[in-house]
Amino acid sequence: MQFYLAPLEGVTGYIVRNAFAHHFPYIDKYFTPFFPAAKRMNKKIIRDLIPENNPGIKLVPQLMVNDAKDMEMMGKQLKDMGFESVNLNCGCPSGTVVSKKKGAGILGDPVALDRFLDETFRVCPLKISIKTRIGVEFPSEWEDICKVYEKYPLEELIIHPRVRTDFYKNTPNMEAFAYAVDRLPMPLCYNGDINTVEDYQAFTERFPQTDRMMIGRGLLANPGLVGEILGHDRADKKQIKAFHDEIVNGYTEIFSGDKDVVGHMKEIWFYLIRFFPDKARCLKQIQKCQSMPEYRLIVQQILS
Ligand SMILES: Cc1cc2nc3c(=O)[nH]c(=O)nc-3n(C[C@H](O)[C@H](O)[C@H](O)COP(=O)(O)O)c2cc1C
C-alpha cells in the first residue's frame, strides 16, 4: 500500500509536511492544499511549493481550477518549478467554491466537466490526477461522473466517496468506491475516515486490489498511524512532542507574532487532541488561549 497525506487547507503546509517526514517517515506522497490559478503565484504559495522547503518530500501541487486555459498556464509554471504532476480539486464542498462551479461544484455538470477535461488534457504539460467526491447531492450522480473520468488518462483518481452536501458528515459510500473499482481503468486511491489500524484492515479486506490510500484527519489525530499500520509501535508522547515542537518552531519562524503561531497550532490541536483522550478538556483551553506562554503551559499539561 502507498500512503498519501491528504491536503488540509490551513494545516498541511510545508512545515507540517516536514514534521511528518522527520518524525513519522512513512508517507509516500504529499499533496499541497488547493490554490487558485494566477499569472504570478503569490509568495505564500511559492514558499509552500519550492523544493528547498520540501526536501525529500514527494509533493504534488493541488489546483482549484475549472478552466483549461488556467490549467495550461499553471501547468507551465509548475513544470518550470520542476513538478511532473498536478492534482485537480473536484471535491471541496465549501459554498464559495461550489458556487463558482469549482471543487465539488464542478461535478454538478458532467458535460461541462467532460469539456474541461478534454481541453485540459490537450494543453496541460503535466500529468494530471484528480481528487474527487462522488457527486453534489446524490450518490446516483456518480455513474455519469465515472463515465467522464474513464475517458481520460488520469495518473490516478483519488476518491473521497461522499457527496458535496455531506461535507464531512455521514459515512463514506463504499458502494460508490466499489463501483469505481469495477469500472475505472486508472489507478484508484481511497480517501475517507481511515482513523485506526482496524479501519485500514477492514478496507484492505474489502478492497485487496486497491494499492493507494490517502489519509487526512486520522494522521493529524495520530501522526504515527501509518507507522502503526506498517507494524511499528504506537507513537509515544516523546515522539508527538518532537513532532509538535518542530511545527511550533517552524511557525514561529514564519509568522510575525504569537497570536498567529497559536492560531495555527489551534488547527493542529483540533485533531491532535484525540491522541490524548483523557486530556480532551484541554482543547477548550487551547482554543481560548491567546499568548505563547499560556499555550506552552497547556501543552505541557497535555504532554506530561
Ligand atoms: C480543514 C480541512 C481542509 C481541507 N482542505 C482540503 C484541500 O485543500 N484540498 C482537498 O482536496 N481536500 C481538502 N480537505 C479534504 C481532505 O483532504 C480529505 O479528503 C477529507 O478530510 C477526508 O479524508 P480523512 O477522513 O482522511 O480526513 C480538507 C478537509 C478539512 C477537514
Side-chain angles (χ1 to χ4, degrees):
M1 182 69 78
Q2 286 191 59
F3 294 96
Y4 304 164
L5 178 67
L8 266 74
E9 221 245 317
V11 185
T12 61
Y14 74 95
I15 287 175
V16 168
R17 296 195 297 266
N18 276 283
F20 270 105
H22 296 152
H23 302 284
F24 300 100
Y26 310 112
I27 293 166
D28 299 292
K29 195 149 81 174
Y30 297 74
F31 291 72
T32 70
F34 68 77
F35 56 93
K39 283 207 179 80
R40 289 178 59 181
M41 284 185 257
N42 78 31
K43 279 190 188 143
K44 192 174 152 227
I45 293 163
I46 293 175
R47 188 174 66 188
D48 197 46
L49 287 172
I50 52 175
E52 297 90 297
N53 285 338
N54 295 281
I57 286 175
K58 192 167 177 194
L59 183 64
V60 180
Q62 187 189 66
L63 288 173
M64 182 67 82
V65 162
N66 63 358
D67 180 299
K69 288 202 176 66
D70 285 343
M71 284 296 284
E72 180 180 15
M73 175 178 76
M74 296 310 290
K76 284 179 180 161
Q77 289 184 53
L78 293 167
K79 191 172 182 197
D80 288 346
M81 292 177 83
F83 289 101
E84 292 176 359
S85 304
V86 67
N87 181 262
L88 177 66
N89 182 313
C90 297
C92 179
S94 134
T96 46
V97 168
V98 169
S99 64
K100 291 183 205 144
K101 300 210 180 325
K102 293 182 182 170
I106 216 169
L107 304 175
D109 184 350
V111 175
L113 174 66
D114 193 12
R115 223 179 299 127
F116 164 51
L117 291 181
D118 181 59
E119 185 69 18
T120 290
F121 272 89
R122 288 171 215 267
V123 297
C124 180
L126 299 179
K127 287 186 254 179
I128 300 164
S129 65
I130 290 181
K131 178 162 177 282
T132 189
R133 289 195 181 228
I134 58 168
V136 178
E137 254 187 290
F138 306 107
S140 54
E141 296 164 40
W142 184 226
E143 210 178 306
D144 284 345
I145 295 166
C146 284
K147 278 188 191 139
V148 175
Y149 288 150
E150 74 181 357
K151 292 166 67 176
Y152 298 98
L154 290 172
E155 185 183 15
E156 58 188 354
L157 179 67
I158 302 158
I159 302 173
H160 176 202
R162 284 187 164 95
V163 292
R164 180 260 166 170
T165 47
D166 284 334
F167 286 83
Y168 297 96
K169 298 185 304 272
N170 303 325
T171 48
N173 184 325
M174 301 315 279
E175 283 68 42
F177 188 75
Y179 178 85
V181 167
D182 287 343
R183 175 168 188 125
L184 294 178
M186 70 288 285
L188 299 182
C189 172
Y190 175 78
N191 168 238
D193 293 25
I194 301 291
N195 294 310
T196 62
V197 176
E198 291 72 32
D199 293 339
Y200 170 81
Q201 285 165 344
F203 176 83
T204 51
E205 255 168 53
R206 174 146 185 210
F207 297 102
Q209 63 281 69
T210 300
D211 66 352
R212 34 198 101 181
M213 173 179 279
M214 173 181 267
I215 307 179
R217 293 165 298 173
L219 266 168
L220 290 162
N222 173 10
L225 176 60
V226 172
E228 266 182 62
I229 289 171
L230 295 173
H232 298 278
D233 287 342
R234 186 167 171 79
D236 57 28
K237 279 189 182 169
K238 214 172 122 199
Q239 283 171 295
I240 299 288
K241 182 177 183 318
F243 171 79
H244 165 274
D245 289 355
E246 177 169 334
I247 298 171
V248 172
N249 292 340
Y251 282 169
T252 306
E253 263 176 43
I254 63 168
F255 296 129
S256 47
D258 280 12
K259 215 173 149 209
D260 242 7
V261 176
V262 173
H264 279 80
M265 290 313 297
K266 288 178 188 177
E267 307 272 343
I268 305 276
W269 278 108
F270 181 73
Y271 304 100
L272 190 58
I273 197 71
R274 280 179 234 160
F275 194 80
F276 306 94
D278 54 329
K279 301 281 167 66
R281 66 194 152 74
C282 293
L283 184 62
K284 271 220 175 93
Q285 287 172 278
I286 292 183
Q287 276 165 344
K288 278 196 212 142
C289 155
Q290 295 287 342
S291 74
M292 213 53 209
E294 201 188 336
Y295 173 82
R296 289 197 189 281
L297 218 63
I298 304 165
V299 170
Q300 206 179 1
Q301 270 179 41
I302 299 172
L303 293 170
S304 66

